[in-house]
Amino acid sequence: MPRLSRRALLAAGTALALAGTARAARPYVTPRPITVANQPLPFPSRPFSETLWGQRVSDPYLWMEAEDAQWRACTASQAAYAEAVLSHIPGRDSLAAAIAENSNALTLVAGLQTGGRLIFTERRPPEAQTTRLYVRDGQNGADRLLLDPMRFSTQSSHAALDWWQASPAGTHLVFGISQGGSEHSVLRLMEVESGQIAPLALTRTDDANPSWLPDGAGFFYTRNQDVPIDDPRYEENSSAWLHLLNGGEDRRLLGPGLASGIALNPIDSPTLIATPGSDLIIAQINEGVRSEIALYLTRLPALLAGTPDWQPICTQADQVTDFAVRGDEIFLLTHKHASHYRVVKLTAAAPHFAEAQEVVPTGRPVIRAIMAAKNGLYLIDRDAGLAGLRHLGDDGKLTALALPFPGALDPDLAFSIPTQEGLWFPLEGWVRPCVFCHAGADGQITETGLAPQPDIDVSAYTTETLLAPARDGVRVPLSLLYRKGLTRDGSATLLMEAYGAYGIALDPAFMGRWLPFLDQGAVFAVAHVRGGGELGEDWHLAGMKAEKYHSWQDAEDCALHLIDQGYCGHRTLGVVGGSAGGITVGRLLTERPELAAVAISMVGVSDPLRAEFSPNGPPNIPEFGSVKTERGFHDLFAMDAYQHVHDGVDYPAVLLTTGLHDPRVSPWEATKMAARLQAATASKNPILLRVEDDGGHGFGATRAQRDAETADIMAFTLWRTGHPGFQPG
């Protein structure tokens, strides 16, 4: 359940041209109700309880987990009701138009790779609904549309490009396509020059992580076991395979039941990784969602001959989270004895972690990733919330590179290979659109023009960073975005996002869709709560399992600090969290229901006590724990918002969202939470369930889907925080 992308009210013209100056302080208006003709079918309660580890647990909506015909009927009715209410919010349509205008001005760059002279980019241009794949010959060449995933769409469902990898020479492309945001990829193969797609179509390749052989003769990929996609075991017992272009059956090289000398648990996912310019093959073992990996080494000839001699490099206990190979050199990124991480180096001749030599010690910056190039090793850092980039040369000299502007650098979108010099990477800020850059061998950084700049004037907006005092004395970073000239008298609508899981950080990302929200005099805030990775691994561990309470209590303390500092008031505050951020927002909602006027859970985890029994549940045990152990049960119960909803409480306005094809957080979590809140609340505040029929967790969503969801969230927040322009007459 990785974090969701956060990647904005008036009629025609650009949003900024219509915005005028910052809004003056406004008197609070009590939100007025919206009445629609048809009321939703209520979810029926079916009393059920059980005793787990000596504690009685009530679960009156347990039946929903079967997602049967009655559940589908009630969910459809609730979805129709929510759509009707949201569409009747005054100002929602003009807000949606402004959001769409800004969205359509942006070109999203979602990936880059080189193959020989060719440069492949995954982009969503203004006219497109989903990302497409383009190829050009050299940086100054003309783009050619190589793949539009919409060609695979059906009459009832849109298709999306999940992942892709070009061969080292750029002659072939392996890619994954899924339907309706499901992320259940089908692996396909293309010949790049002709664009011809081979008959190959392999299902169960959701996380294929393909890696081409250095000569491009074939590729490794990972495939799930052969069980139905709704089976709780679907993400267990996966295997790594080899596909050769010259034909023959694919070979299973690493997985359960194979005498490889590598022990695998059911939730372990094995990936085989080849590197251009080297015959070393790395087996990477991921234990569910855990960041720490185990690595093993063999030579390609031995693997192809069926006689690999796997040498252990590191185990999860060595706390390695990233690696890079260059010839026979192996670099490891570890947080062992270093919360901000350090880099060590070893060789294929002595590949064991205990023999590694430290080449970059830990320091103030948090080292996020390492990437090898012909001219050395690049380190991608985070320091005080902003990106840093350093280069480690063959002479051992470590040099900081000057970035074009302060911003964030997403390592997942950066690219380098050991046979070419330099690093390709994106850079963006909260109110600064993304640019794609190249760091050359001479240390100079140039903007490539691969991310065209939108015609959006961002000069009217500003950002601010605060440190909010938590109840235990820890200082929690807060990022704020608003229109210049904000009056801090507590009257502004403020929507605060919080996440806090997996060591994932909420880094700056250009908020183009959200600019019209700021134009209403509203504020957008991001609380960098514990459980995330903003301040290193210790920050992650402080919001994990038994320490999870820090995540939602940090969010509460950040909200109180914003109120104390006059950025908003209790009646003008909204909180939002997505995916695992549903735990943070859900427990804030149930622990402090009076704190905010609005709570929004986007495809959020609401019932972690039961999530383990969904297909994506077992891989998340390393992060949240297991109900099958006493300690795990108590940790999960403490973070379960559904279990902490109480009858007769005045709950605020709540919007829960889900996608019917969500493979990460099962839709029944949102429906159970909606049902329990609707039955329990003593207030007249709306509890709405927004459902995307042709969607999942958000990955692969169309531009129109994202625009509409953003408009609904903004309009709901402005309505329920008393913004005058969003009240019915």
Side-chain angles (χ1 to χ4, degrees):
M1 299 174 280
R3 70 164 177 158
L4 293 176
S5 175
R6 301 182 314 281
R7 310 269 207 171
L9 272 56
L10 305 167
T14 67
L16 300 185
L18 293 165
T21 58
R23 304 299 177 95
R26 62 174 174 85
Y28 178 77
V29 175
T30 301
R32 304 186 185 108
I34 291 175
T35 303
V36 297
N38 296 319
Q39 294 299 302
L41 290 174
F43 290 107
S45 172
R46 300 177 186 174
F48 174 85
S49 63
E50 59 182 335
T51 300
L52 298 173
W53 300 102
Q55 182 168 335
R56 198 71 172 165
V57 178
S58 176
D59 196 347
Y61 300 100
L62 178 69
W63 65 271
M64 290 188 182
E65 296 179 20
E67 297 186 353
D68 58 14
Q70 185 175 23
W71 175 85
R72 290 193 297 271
C74 290
T75 298
S77 176
Q78 291 272 345
Y81 176 76
E83 182 179 7
V85 171
L86 293 168
S87 66
H88 280 77
I89 298 174
R92 189 267 177 203
D93 289 345
S94 56
L95 183 65
I99 293 169
E101 184 168 0
N102 277 9
S103 169
N104 201 50
L106 289 168
T107 296
L108 171 68
V109 180
L112 179 146
Q113 184 197 330
T114 63
R117 285 180 45 83
L118 301 180
I119 300 175
F120 298 82
T121 55
E122 181 184 352
R123 305 204 304 270
R124 189 189 63 198
E127 73 274 11
Q129 284 297 318
T130 60
T131 59
R132 302 168 176 173
L133 198 59
Y134 296 84
V135 63
R136 63 170 65 179
D137 188 353
Q139 184 170 330
N140 297 319
D143 279 325
R144 171 169 66 95
L145 177 61
L146 186 63
L147 175 65
D148 184 349
M150 296 297 276
R151 65 182 290 182
F152 297 99
S153 297
T154 66
Q155 190 171 5
S156 60
S157 182
H158 77 278
L161 178 62
D162 296 327
W163 48 260
W164 56 277
Q165 189 77 19
S167 63
T171 57
H172 291 82
L173 179 83
V174 58
F175 61 96
I177 296 289
S178 66
Q179 300 291 328
S182 68
E183 301 177 61
H184 295 313
S185 305
V186 177
L187 181 152
R188 297 181 182 273
L189 183 64
M190 173 190 286
E191 198 278 322
V192 170
E193 184 174 358
S194 66
Q196 183 175 355
I197 297 177
L200 181 69
L202 298 177
T203 58
R204 311 194 313 277
T205 51
D206 303 24
D207 295 297
N209 295 309
S211 179
W212 285 89
L213 300 181
D215 63 359
F219 56 85
F220 302 116
Y221 65 94
T222 300
R223 194 178 191 190
N224 290 348
Q225 65 175 329
D226 190 6
V227 298
I229 59 176
D230 59 353
D231 191 306
R233 302 168 298 163
Y234 178 69
E235 296 189 24
E236 297 182 356
N237 298 315
S238 58
S239 298
W241 296 71
L242 172 65
H243 176 85
L244 296 175
L245 300 185
N246 63 3
E249 291 189 0
D250 289 6
R251 294 166 54 190
R252 191 166 75 102
L253 300 179
L254 186 59
L258 293 178
S260 63
I262 299 177
L264 295 171
N265 296 315
I267 64 171
D268 287 343
S269 177
T271 302
L272 294 177
I273 301 167
T275 302
S278 175
D279 71 345
L280 301 185
I281 301 298
I282 304 294
Q284 176 176 318
I285 312 300
N286 289 77
E287 183 188 6
V289 299
R290 185 176 177 181
S291 299
E292 296 79 11
I293 55 181
L295 299 173
Y296 298 82
L297 169 69
T298 193
R299 298 281 183 178
L300 178 59
L303 182 61
L304 295 180
T307 58
D309 180 22
W310 290 109
Q311 300 294 311
I313 298 175
C314 62
T315 68
Q316 278 89 358
D318 296 314
Q319 300 175 350
V320 171
T321 60
D322 196 13
F323 74 96
V325 173
R326 217 172 59 133
D328 269 13
E329 297 177 326
I330 305 168
F331 298 88
L332 304 176
L333 179 64
T334 175
H335 60 77
K336 191 170 188 176
H337 310 307
S339 177
H340 286 200
Y341 293 79
R342 59 194 178 101
V343 180
V344 300
K345 175 185 173 182
L346 43 80
T347 66
H352 309 302
F353 184 83
E355 303 171 85
Q357 171 192 1
E358 183 175 87
V359 292
V360 181
T362 189
R364 171 176 162 167
V366 177
I367 308 173
R368 303 181 61 193
I370 54 176
M371 308 191 75
K374 187 176 182 179
N375 60 309
L377 188 74
Y378 288 93
L379 286 70
I380 298 174
D381 299 329
R382 180 191 295 112
D383 189 4
L386 297 174
L389 184 63
R390 290 181 287 172
H391 174 259
L392 179 67
D394 293 335
D395 58 0
K397 182 180 180 181
L398 187 63
T399 305
L401 304 182
L403 297 176
F405 59 85
L409 194 171
D410 185 349
D412 292 338
L413 301 183
F415 178 79
S416 71
I417 54 175
T419 55
Q420 294 181 1
E421 295 182 334
L423 174 77
W424 304 81
F425 64 92
L427 187 68
E428 64 184 316
W430 294 117
V431 292
R432 184 73 183 260
C434 176
V435 297
F436 229 96
C437 303
H438 184 262
D442 58 359
Q444 296 300 308
I445 294 177
T446 58
E447 297 185 22
T448 65
L450 291 170
Q453 295 300 284
D455 186 18
I456 298 176
D457 182 4
V458 296
S459 62
Y461 308 97
T462 190
T463 62
E464 184 180 1
T465 301
L466 306 177
L467 290 175
R471 62 198 68 184
D472 60 357
V474 170
R475 309 284 279 183
V476 182
L478 263 169
S479 299
L480 277 72
L481 296 78
Y482 50 84
R483 193 171 174 85
K484 295 174 181 177
L486 177 74
T487 302
R488 286 166 46 186
D489 65 352
S491 69
T493 291
L494 184 147
L495 184 61
M496 183 187 78
E497 180 181 12
Y499 187 70
Y502 308 112
I504 292 174
L506 299 186
D507 286 324
F510 180 55
M511 303 290 282
R513 280 192 176 92
W514 284 85
L515 298 182
F517 184 70
L518 308 186
D519 291 338
Q520 289 294 312
V523 181
F524 190 91
V526 178
H528 303 282
V529 302
R530 279 173 277 189
E534 284 86 347
L535 299 179
E537 181 60 16
D538 287 348
W539 198 251
H540 170 215
L541 296 176
M544 181 178 171
K545 293 184 177 178
E547 305 298 316
K548 187 63 186 169
Y549 67 93
H550 283 132
S551 298
W552 66 81
Q553 290 186 354
D554 282 355
E556 294 170 9
D557 294 339
C558 284
L560 290 169
H561 185 66
L562 291 169
I563 293 169
D564 180 67
Q565 295 299 308
Y567 289 97
C568 63
H570 289 281
R571 296 183 298 179
T572 61
L573 170 66
V575 292
V576 59
S579 193
I583 296 174
T584 302
V585 168
R587 287 298 281 118
L588 179 152
L589 165 69
T590 50
E591 188 169 89
R592 294 290 305 272
E594 82 294 347
L595 182 56
V598 174
I600 301 170
S601 178
M602 300 173 61
V603 293
V605 178
S606 301
D607 191 10
L609 199 63
R610 292 290 303 169
E612 182 178 344
F613 305 103
S614 66
N616 195 41
N620 278 276
I621 290 173
E623 178 73 15
F624 301 111
S626 172
V627 73
K628 297 176 183 178
T629 69
E630 184 172 8
R631 176 72 266 174
F633 163 75
H634 289 295
D635 292 345
L636 288 164
F637 187 85
M639 66 181 80
D640 193 300
Y642 170 76
Q643 286 294 333
H644 284 83
V645 176
H646 297 294
D647 294 333
V649 174
D650 288 331
Y651 287 107
V654 179
L655 176 62
L656 301 113
T657 78
T658 188
L660 293 184
H661 304 297
D662 193 335
R664 298 174 185 254
V665 179
S666 294
W668 54 256
E669 290 208 46
T671 60
K672 287 177 72 173
M673 187 66 174
R676 185 72 186 94
L677 283 169
Q678 288 172 356
T681 187
S683 75
K684 295 183 179 180
N685 295 317
I687 311 291
L688 300 183
L689 176 66
R690 187 187 189 279
V691 180
E692 192 71 64
D693 293 337
D694 184 31
H697 201 63
F699 299 98
T702 66
R703 183 196 297 274
Q705 286 175 325
R706 292 189 184 278
D707 290 351
E709 181 182 51
T710 305
D712 286 344
I713 289 171
M714 286 186 201
F716 185 77
T717 302
L718 291 164
W719 168 38
R720 298 311 304 176
T721 56
H723 196 288
F726 291 81
Q727 304 302 314

